[in-house]
């Protein structure tokens, strides 16, 4: 018998999927991990009842949190990924020839292991790349204590409920700032603006005191239901958010990267924010 998965993220509203094949269901040390196959979206991974990634639309999210900051910066050698246990972010970061080393800090080993098994196209071998180094730890502790420095930090976290909550605190953001090289960039998934506007405002108020330039950029990711997904952006160099289209075009072509969502026009346009967000700041 086919069962139905109903997402429990929003109050009184949720997307649902048929579970056409149950692949894995287990309470890990940290959270409830579910992986199933759906006829429309392919394999779907959920944590604590919230959809994290699907085979069909993951490229939009992962490309926007990697190629956009990497090409805006232009010379990223060292990257820190917080979360991202499915490996999709690592896969995209490692496509860049400038990248020399990536540290990924994931709290839950089981997410990495089960996604390698049941969502192999997400990491696509990235965990075996000699430039990749995985650390199983809490991201907040890592950015507070490490002596390493990075050109780009990507927070690929869950929503601010459960283990992901600490990754939206001032303490975490201050740790990230501490670990960035001069000219470095911090980006983070920041929820669906229309339904989670408080998250956008909280992040804005917590990041702004720490960085000279703070904003958001957007993309619609179908399985993050409710409209535009926001991505937080923070750096000390306002010019990085306004790189000219022809420069982005040159860097994009020089990188040799093939994308399915990202392109320089999308990049430039994605910083345009709906008025209801600007008015809320
Ligand atoms: N992490 C972000 C999931 C956010 C879903 N939230 C939502 N719909 N508001 C995804 C991990 C993919 N690597």
């Amino acid at each position: 018998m086919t069962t139905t998965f109903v997402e429990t993220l929003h109050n009184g509203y949720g997307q649902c999927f048929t579970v056409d094949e149950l692949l894995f269901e287990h309470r890990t040390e940290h959270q409830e991990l579910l992986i199933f196959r759906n006829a429309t979206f392919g394999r779907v991974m959920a944590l604590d009842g919230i959809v994290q990634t699907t085979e069909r639309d993951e490229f939009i999210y992962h490309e926007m949190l990697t190629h956009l900051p990497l090409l805006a910066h232009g010379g990223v050698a060292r990257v820190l990924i917080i979360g991202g246990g499915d490996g999709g972010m690592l896969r995209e970061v490692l496509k860049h020839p400038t990248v020399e080393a990536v540290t990924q800090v994931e709290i839950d080993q089981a997410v990495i292991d089960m996604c390698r098994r049941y969502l192999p196209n997400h990491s696509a071998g990235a965990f075996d790349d000699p430039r990749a180094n995985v650390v199983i730890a809490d991201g907040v502790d890592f950015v507070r204590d490490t002596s390493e420095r990075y050109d780009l930090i990507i927070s690929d976290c869950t929503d601010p409920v459960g283990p992901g909550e600490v990754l939206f605190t001032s303490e975490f953001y201050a740790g990230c700032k501490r670990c960035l090289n001069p000219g470095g960039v911090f980006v983070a998934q920041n929820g669906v603006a229309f339904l989670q506007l408080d998250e956008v405002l909280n992040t804005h108020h917590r990041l702004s005191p720490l960085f000279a330039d703070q904003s958001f950029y957007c993309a619609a990711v179908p399985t993050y239901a409710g409209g535009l997904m926001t991505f937080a952006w923070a750096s000390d160099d306002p010019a990085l958010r306004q790189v000219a289209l022809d420069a982005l075009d040159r860097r994009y072509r020089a990188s040799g990267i093939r994308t399915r969502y990202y392109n320089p026009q999308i990049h430039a346009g994605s910083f345009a924010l709906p008025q209801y967000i600007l008015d809320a700041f």
Side-chain angles (χ1 to χ4, degrees), residues 17-62:
F17 296 76
T18 55
V19 178
D20 294 299
E21 183 187 357
L22 180 62
L23 296 163
F24 186 77
E25 189 174 23
H26 179 66
R27 171 154 290 283
T28 75
E29 203 185 314
H30 300 280
Q31 51 209 339
E32 182 75 31
L33 169 59
L34 173 69
I35 305 175
F36 62 91
R37 187 178 56 76
N38 169 266
T40 297
F41 282 98
R43 293 185 175 201
V44 178
M45 190 268 281
L47 291 171
D48 290 337
I50 301 170
V51 174
Q52 298 300 310
T53 193
T54 83
E55 284 184 320
R56 177 113 181 243
D57 68 354
E58 58 87 12
F59 67 98
I60 304 173
Y61 175 86
H62 290 125

Side-chain angles (χ1 to χ4, degrees), residues 255-270:
S255 76
I257 287 162
R258 297 176 66 92
T259 54
R260 291 168 64 203
Y261 186 81
Y262 176 91
N263 60 42
Q265 288 80 5
I266 287 275
H267 179 143
S270 69

